[in-house]
Amino acid sequence: MVSRVIPVEPFDLVIFGGTGDLARRKILPGLFRRYCAGQMPPEAQVIGAARSDMDDSGYRDFVRDAITEFAGPLSDECQQVDGFLDRVGYVTIDAQGEGGWAELKDRVRAELVHAYYFSVAPSLFGDIAERLHLHGLAGDDSRIVVEKPFGKDLDSARALNATLAKHFDEHQIYRIDHYLGKETVQNLMAVRFGNVLFEPLWNAQYVDHIQITVAETVGVGGRGGYYDTSGAMRDMVQNHLMQLLCLIAMEPPAKFEPDAVRDEKLKVIRALEPVEPHHIVRGQYDKTADAPGYRQDVENPRSFTESFLALKLHISNWRWAGTPFYLRTGKKLKARTSEIVVVFKDAPHSIFGADAGRHRNVLAIRLQPNEGMTLDVTIKEPGPGGMRLVDVPLDMTFADALGPEAEQATEAYERLIMDVIRGNQTLFMRGDEVEAAWAWTDPIIAGWTARSDVPKPYDQGGSGPEDSLMLMHRDGRRWRELKA
Ligand code: BG6
């Protein structure tokens, strides 16, 4: 596979929250990998901006450590980080006061593209946007990048959008959902709209149901405080699973262009029906003899927040009327696996008689790990003894098909940051999209709060609460098994 790297134009990237966890784990190592790939032009500059008192050289040490710890396996040409560090600087800044802004203004070069990454608490977005404006740092060519959580409900998301809109136009605002930067997530669009095979069958007439699973083996780790006010609905479903749902269900956009794609995604969200209470299963991982449970992890013995959520949804439009979509996500499950499974309907008539059994085509798209697709196809079981049918997978693991480079694919953050510099918003959420997602989410959360719903305990290392299996079994269906 030939890799094509097109350098972006020279830029200044300022990371507010430059000493934070996201910068250390994702943003800085990601930028370094792009530097190694030859995508960063020599004039590019990365400036960390945060409260800590530090100088350029102190920050370079911080960045070097972040790269060593999180940049992953590096090619031989890339063992030398000094060339990258030469482009890195630091400004001590007070997001809510005047300290550091004049110095930042001196460092940022007016003639270049500027991107300001708000890797800070959303409560600071307004202060930073305001100061960028006041200090003349927010020109027409400036972009701001904001992270999730983008609000915690519709009202707060609207308020955030309004705050940012005071100083930046929508075309300057890049709302990150890192799932959109994943290689295979984009591949969903390539598979659907680059092949003639699938699209004619991609509708309620031929599809029995679709499953979307994002399962994790980790627990809430050190993020208990945040997670307990969020839960799987706000942390994963309203954003990551919603984006997957949009890409799998949307109509073909006329072009692969930002607003064409985002208009179609928005239509899917707006066509989502409210979810019936008996189509919602919430769970919390239980403690074991050796490991704390969810409530111990978040240090809240009376927590009713879900670490697992399964939902059955319907999309009211011509393409999907009557086809259920089953979504599930959870922590401390059996395997780390994200996949989308499209289960097609049975052949309308079996010429092989009842003994041949029931067979259906299943397209499974594995997003992570081990990206690839399998398509179960029904064939004759080899050997004598009549016509017995069996389903065999046509397996396309991308690393096997495309070679080792597919495994070293660009990570989500790297791709997304380069898209910001290029000014391409296709893989970023538009303000109305985020608001529509909250408008659908809010009544579901309000419903279970009003019912005083208590999440069902589930075993660590399993597949989630029993009720989640029942959600499918009641419909004569079952989840695809979680496999590592
Ligand atoms: C984050 C969530 O957005 O996505 C985390 O806040 C979750 O709770 C993570 O673990 C999963 O991302 P990935 O890329 O590891 O699938």
Side-chain angles (χ1 to χ4, degrees):
M1 196 177 73
V2 182
S3 118
R4 283 183 305 128
V5 174
I6 305 166
V8 294
E9 59 187 296
F11 63 87
D12 284 338
L13 171 68
V14 180
I15 310 170
F16 292 105
T19 54
D21 211 43
L22 184 71
R24 198 166 68 91
R25 284 170 184 274
K26 299 284 182 189
I27 306 173
L28 293 163
L31 283 164
F32 176 63
R33 284 166 55 104
R34 288 297 87 207
Y35 164 78
C36 288
Q39 205 164 17
M40 243 196 213
E43 306 85 348
Q45 182 184 209
V46 177
I47 303 172
R51 242 182 339 203
S52 320
D53 206 2
M54 215 188 270
D55 58 11
D56 286 344
S57 119
Y59 193 58
R60 285 181 189 138
D61 290 343
F62 171 87
V63 176
R64 187 191 297 278
D65 290 347
I67 291 171
T68 312
E69 203 173 347
F70 296 109
L74 299 169
S75 61
D76 290 345
E77 310 87 77
C78 232
Q79 299 303 326
Q80 203 28 287
V81 294
D82 292 343
F84 175 72
L85 294 179
D86 285 346
R87 298 145 197 245
V88 172
Y90 184 80
V91 175
T92 304
I93 208 139
D94 179 2
Q96 292 175 301
E98 291 318 306
W101 291 93
E103 190 189 340
L104 186 61
K105 169 96 180 158
D106 284 346
R107 296 256 191 137
V108 168
R109 295 159 295 176
E111 67 286 4
L112 299 187
V113 165
H114 325 122
Y116 299 107
Y117 203 124
F118 290 17
S119 181
V120 294
S123 55
L124 294 177
F125 287 2
D127 291 312
I128 296 178
E130 173 90 19
R131 282 174 179 75
L132 285 173
H133 172 73
L134 284 176
H135 291 272
L137 284 155
D140 285 347
D141 220 4
S142 306
R143 287 133 213 197
I144 57 171
V145 186
V146 292
E147 271 291 332
K148 81 174 251 279
F150 198 84
K152 61 176 183 43
D153 54 17
L154 178 57
D155 286 347
S156 52
R158 275 192 180 139
L160 271 183
N161 275 336
T163 302
L164 298 179
K166 277 190 204 150
H167 302 299
F168 294 92
D169 287 342
E170 183 61 34
H171 76 269
Q172 298 177 289
I173 305 173
Y174 289 71
R175 295 176 194 79
I176 285 206
D177 182 314
H178 79 279
Y179 266 58
L180 286 176
K182 288 184 191 270
E183 187 70 30
T184 326
V185 174
Q186 291 167 73
N187 217 348
L188 284 177
M189 283 183 277
V191 167
R192 283 195 59 197
F193 306 130
N195 293 286
V196 75
L197 276 182
F198 301 114
E199 203 53 21
L201 306 177
W202 214 260
N203 55 52
Q205 196 184 343
Y206 293 104
V207 175
D208 176 73
H209 73 278
I210 293 182
Q211 306 180 10
I212 303 180
T213 296
V214 178
E216 297 183 277
T217 50
V218 292
V220 295
R223 301 159 73 221
Y226 149 77
Y227 194 92
D228 204 37
T229 58
S230 171
M233 181 59 131
R234 291 188 172 100
D235 186 51
M236 296 294 286
V237 176
Q238 186 271 348
N239 34 75
H240 304 327
L241 277 86
M242 178 69 76
Q243 291 297 325
L244 299 181
L245 175 71
C246 286
L247 297 178
I248 209 78
M250 71 183 186
E251 296 300 315
K255 288 199 169 152
F256 188 59
E257 282 181 356
D259 280 334
V261 171
R262 297 184 302 174
D263 286 347
E264 294 307 335
K265 289 199 298 171
L266 180 61
K267 285 184 210 160
V268 174
I269 305 175
R270 289 197 171 145
L272 283 172
E273 287 181 13
V275 181
E276 306 273 344
H278 61 286
H279 290 163
I280 304 172
V281 178
R282 298 166 71 233
Q284 257 180 8
Y285 56 85
D286 219 348
K287 64 172 186 292
T288 67
D290 336 298
Y294 175 79
R295 290 181 171 189
Q296 289 77 45
D297 274 350
V298 300
E299 296 174 6
N300 178 2
R302 293 189 41 76
S303 170
F304 291 143
T305 303
E306 75 287 350
S307 59
F308 175 97
L309 182 61
L311 300 168
K312 176 180 172 186
L313 317 178
H314 282 283
I315 300 174
S316 302
N317 62 20
W318 272 57
R319 186 188 281 262
W320 295 118
T323 305
F325 287 74
Y326 299 90
L327 272 51
R328 67 176 163 166
T329 183
K331 302 231 179 248
K332 290 265 183 179
L333 297 176
K334 186 173 177 175
R336 175 175 188 251
T337 188
S338 300
E339 69 176 1
I340 299 178
V341 182
V342 182
V343 181
F344 291 91
K345 291 188 173 169
D346 295 3
H349 166 69
S350 169
I351 64 168
F352 304 109
D355 290 350
R358 190 175 177 198
H359 299 272
R360 30 177 57 176
N361 301 120
V362 175
L363 175 69
I365 305 166
R366 288 190 310 274
L367 306 174
Q368 59 184 25
N370 204 11
E371 291 94 333
M373 295 193 321
T374 53
L375 176 64
D376 289 353
V377 177
T378 305
I379 61 164
K380 177 185 172 299
E381 196 175 299
M387 200 60 162
R388 293 183 310 271
L389 301 186
V390 64
D391 296 333
V392 291
L394 287 180
D395 192 337
M396 201 178 87
T397 301
F398 296 151
D400 293 347
L402 302 173
E405 269 196 52
E407 284 181 291
Q408 292 164 14
T410 325
E411 283 204 357
Y413 275 92
E414 300 171 44
R415 167 175 296 110
L416 293 173
I417 296 170
M418 290 300 118
D419 277 358
V420 172
I421 306 299
R422 284 193 208 97
N424 184 344
Q425 287 187 306
T426 311
L427 300 177
F428 295 83
M429 294 179 297
R430 209 167 54 192
D432 51 1
E433 220 183 308
V434 178
E435 290 184 14
W438 282 121
W440 174 80
T441 309
D442 280 359
I444 302 175
I445 297 177
W448 74 50
T449 309
R451 292 191 296 279
S452 304
D453 179 77
V454 180
K456 304 278 181 313
Y458 64 92
D459 290 341
Q460 298 190 24
S463 304
E466 194 65 24
D467 288 23
S468 142
L469 307 181
M470 290 310 297
L471 182 72
M472 284 282 213
H473 290 178
R474 277 202 303 263
D475 297 343
R477 301 182 172 110
R478 60 196 164 88
W479 293 107
R480 195 175 153 92
E481 206 194 322
L482 284 181
K483 283 196 210 116

